[in-house]
Amino acid sequence: NIVLLIFNNSKLFRNKLMDKRLLTIQDISCVGQCSLTVALPVISACGIETAILPSSVLSNHTAPGFSAWTFNDLTDDMPNILAQWKKENITFDAFYTGYVSKTQIPYIQQIIKETARPGALKIVDPVMADNGKLYAGFDADFPKEMAKLCDGADVLMPNLTEASFLLDVPYVAENYDKQYIEDLCKKLHDELNVKNVVLTGVSFEPSKLGCAIYNGTDFDYYFTEKLPVSMHGTGDVFASALAGSLCRGKTLSQAAAIGANYVVESIKQTIDDKDHWYGVKFEKAIPYLIEQLK
Ligand code: PXL
């Protein structure tokens, strides 16, 4: 038991360097409070140097509410950027990937392989789906490509829909039990070869929402109050705060709790503004995030 306790509380980072540099790879949705416009400010607010590699540029995100969007894929830039980084010996302590396209997955794997410092963390948010459906920009073969990017991740953080697509099992929206959630986590851990799973959007009772955390040995859970709304971009707010907190030396359970609390606070800052339908006002909750990191 003592051994398990130590394992559970262990920090994912083994190297003791004080300041970490993280590279996040995801799209720029110019407007809409998601992906890089969330990750860059949030991880920076955590006190972590945040480098970015934009996977694409969109005028706005693709979720319901916007009628259309522009999309410029930046795959072609990736090998050139890597070649230049290699000339400059640029390396990273952590990688956090989000919304990416199919063609760039092999380049991203190569970038991680060639720029990782010893002990670097690979954090994958397999952004592609929610509420039982793939996002508008992805076709039916995307999940099997995303599964390749998950291989070897230190932390994989799918929502329930993404977990179902990654494992190619039917999506169950409600009335599941703890056994079902733990089986999903075990399959993600074993079949996708990831070290830790944070499964989000888990709810066993109407008033609580949270996540299951599995390290290949034990489970932990973290729940917050469930607010009566679902808002766009909250997955990115959660993942960014989790990644930043891990780089600050928090354990995975602590980082997941910080991320979940920050999402709740960001929703509370937004909920009374009926015109603010496209994202959450995570900016207003930044002081709260910093307070939690102390
Ligand atoms: O929040 C995830 C996300 C990121 N980027 C783009 C999106 C979405 C979700 O819809 O459309 C472009």
Side-chain angles (χ1 to χ4, degrees), residues 163-184:
S164 308
F165 275 110
L166 285 170
L167 295 170
D168 197 17
V169 297
Y171 166 64
V172 179
E174 53 195 3
N175 298 326
Y176 47 72
D177 58 10
K178 214 169 163 186
Q179 190 61 50
Y180 174 77
I181 292 299
E182 297 193 353
D183 285 346
L184 273 184

Side-chain angles (χ1 to χ4, degrees), residues 26-27 29 34-35 58 60-63 99 127 135 232-234 236:
Q26 45 188 317
D27 71 288
S29 283
C34 69
S35 42
L58 294 86
N60 46 270
H61 64 61
T62 69
Y99 186 104
V127 175
Y135 292 139
H232 188 262
T234 49
D236 300 340

Side-chain angles (χ1 to χ4, degrees), residues 78-91:
M78 290 185 168
N80 301 336
I81 289 174
L82 174 61
Q84 172 58 21
W85 283 350
K86 285 179 70 178
K87 279 190 207 149
E88 304 285 349
N89 285 320
I90 289 171
T91 54

